[in-house]
Amino acid sequence: MQLQANVVLFYHNIHKTGSGGKKLRIQLSNHFTYRRLFHFVISPILMMVCTSLYSIVDGFFVSNFVGKTSFAAVNLIMPIAMGVGSIGFMFGAGGSAIISKTLGEGKHDKANQYFSMLIYTTIIISVVVSLIGIIFIRPISASLGATGELLENCVIYGRILFISMTAFILQNIFQNIFVAAEKPTLSLKISIIAGLTNAILDFLFMAVFNWGIAGAAVATAIGQIVGGIVPMIYFAKKNDSLLQLTKTKFYGKILLKICTNGSSEMVTNLSSSLVSILYNFQLMKIAGENGLAAYGIIMYVNFTFTAIFIGFSIGTTPIVGYHYGAANHDELKSLFDKSIKLIIGSGVVLTLLAGVFAAPLVKIFASYDIELFTMAYHGFRLYSISFMLMGINIWGSAFFTALNNGIVSATLSFLRTLVFQVIAILILPIFFGINGIWLAVVVSELLALLVTVTFLIKNKTKYLYA
């Protein structure tokens, strides 16, 4: 709670004034100095960090107040929920790029129509997907290897999450759309409110009312509803952002372009879910339930670090898309140069911080079990080497999304999050045992970095960003 309050205070202080004590208003059409870029991207970065923090709160309460079996159930079902939620990441990233480009071309009314069509279509699709998930969660859980108490926990947790899936998908979309609408501040505030709602209800439902894993799921669902429905209300009314929900028609070609353009983000999240399932299979085979719980701990801690890279990418995508649409090549070059330097510097700093704070972070989830703590601590120390590499890969994929090159963006994501990781997870444990599992992400990020750099060099003359 105090940590999120400090985030709010920090955000308020850096956004309070610009030069001369006036409130700093940043538009997509601005020239972005380091200072202005920092002010613009800090909101989505803090938004993603806050999202990761209330995910950590979920893990903390389930692990410490419900037990290791329930914690394992959450880690088994979460990849399924995140995989379905990747629809929102696809529509959000692809839609943000299309809408920003359309705004850059001066077509404001058309941008509103594209935005409205996207939201209405999403609601229809997500309701259908939610019903399918509610019906089939038991056989899905059983196919993942869950039995007995673990299976029942998976069914309870999964069904409740699918009830709120429409709101979760909308929440993922609006995280991108708010930035394109020049309202990253509001996005951060809504994320904080949703996170605090989740955290408070986690405490009440699990620590006070002893509702068990059902309490964890209900708290998460209500937090997602806040994060998905409040933005709907905001954009449905007249507002001072660049976008508003309005009457529209179905633009099939635009929706296809959105899906193609945002496919990299969907591939990233869907692949992460599939890879997490593969991690779970390998760890259950090598280390049993402790291995499954240890991986869950590493993922919770990992969220906070990768959230910074993801937030920066969300923040810069509309800027790049706008200036690409407006053919401002000098600004593209400036944004590319500044982003590369900031990402590399952040990677070095985050890797060092992960090494220093590994023990206290892991202890949040496993202070009650020395064997689990030792396994998770050792695993995270190896896993955290990847922070040095992943920033460029995450940003590179988002950069090509902003340039409306969905094919390159999807290729980068597909190789990084699925192909390279699957190969590493299957091969490395043969030679290095459980250490091979923890190092799989490091190897996959290194291979992905080589591909990302190759694409950035190859396309620089086409898009004139370097």
Side-chain angles (χ1 to χ4, degrees), residues 204-216 218:
L204 288 176
F205 295 163
M206 283 183 276
V208 178
F209 299 153
N210 295 316
W211 285 2
I213 196 169
V218 171

Side-chain angles (χ1 to χ4, degrees), residues 113-334:
Q113 291 175 22
Y114 292 163
F115 164 58
S116 301
M117 183 268 297
L118 174 64
I119 297 302
Y120 302 150
T121 304
T122 298
I123 292 173
I124 295 171
I125 293 173
S126 58
V127 167
V128 174
V129 171
S130 298
L131 291 174
I132 293 172
I134 292 170
I135 294 170
F136 291 103
I137 189 61
R138 180 175 290 276
I140 291 173
S141 300
S143 68
L144 295 176
T147 58
E149 183 184 358
L150 181 62
L151 175 60
E152 296 308 316
N153 283 336
C154 287
V155 172
I156 292 170
Y157 191 78
R159 279 187 176 151
I160 294 173
L161 285 193
F162 271 106
I163 291 173
S164 64
M165 185 57 68
T166 298
F168 178 53
I169 291 173
L170 288 172
Q171 181 181 17
N172 292 336
I173 292 178
F174 286 125
Q175 286 176 346
N176 289 273
I177 295 299
F178 268 121
V179 181
E182 293 184 350
K183 286 293 181 179
T185 305
L186 185 56
S187 180
L188 174 63
K189 290 177 180 178
I190 292 173
S191 291
I192 291 173
I193 292 171
L196 288 174
T197 300
N198 188 8
I200 293 170
L201 294 180
D202 270 333
F203 173 75
L204 288 176
F205 295 163
M206 283 183 276
V208 178
F209 299 153
N210 295 316
W211 285 2
I213 196 169
V218 171
T220 298
I222 294 175
Q224 291 171 348
I225 289 171
V226 172
I229 302 304
V230 172
M232 275 286 295
I233 296 172
Y234 172 81
F235 283 114
K237 296 180 178 180
K238 188 174 182 180
N239 60 75
D240 61 350
S241 77
L242 296 182
L243 299 172
Q244 183 177 354
L245 288 170
T246 184
K247 291 183 179 180
T248 187
K249 62 180 182 179
F250 184 72
Y251 295 92
K253 291 183 179 179
I254 294 299
L255 184 62
L256 180 61
K257 182 66 175 176
I258 288 172
C259 293
T260 303
N261 211 27
S263 60
S264 61
E265 279 66 29
M266 183 174 186
V267 167
T268 297
N269 289 278
L270 188 58
S271 298
S272 295
S273 296
L274 294 174
V275 168
S276 293
I277 293 171
L278 182 56
Y279 267 108
N280 289 337
F281 272 124
Q282 289 285 69
L283 285 165
M284 281 289 283
K285 184 170 61 176
I286 295 174
E289 196 171 288
N290 264 353
L292 195 63
Y295 176 66
I297 291 171
I298 292 171
M299 287 300 98
Y300 279 116
V301 177
N302 167 67
F303 288 158
T304 304
F305 289 87
T306 56
I308 295 173
F309 297 129
I310 296 172
F312 183 85
S313 299
I314 290 174
T316 55
T317 295
I319 305 172
V320 172
Y322 183 95
H323 288 287
Y324 170 63
N328 296 332
H329 300 302
D330 288 340
E331 190 62 25
L332 272 181
K333 292 178 182 179
S334 175

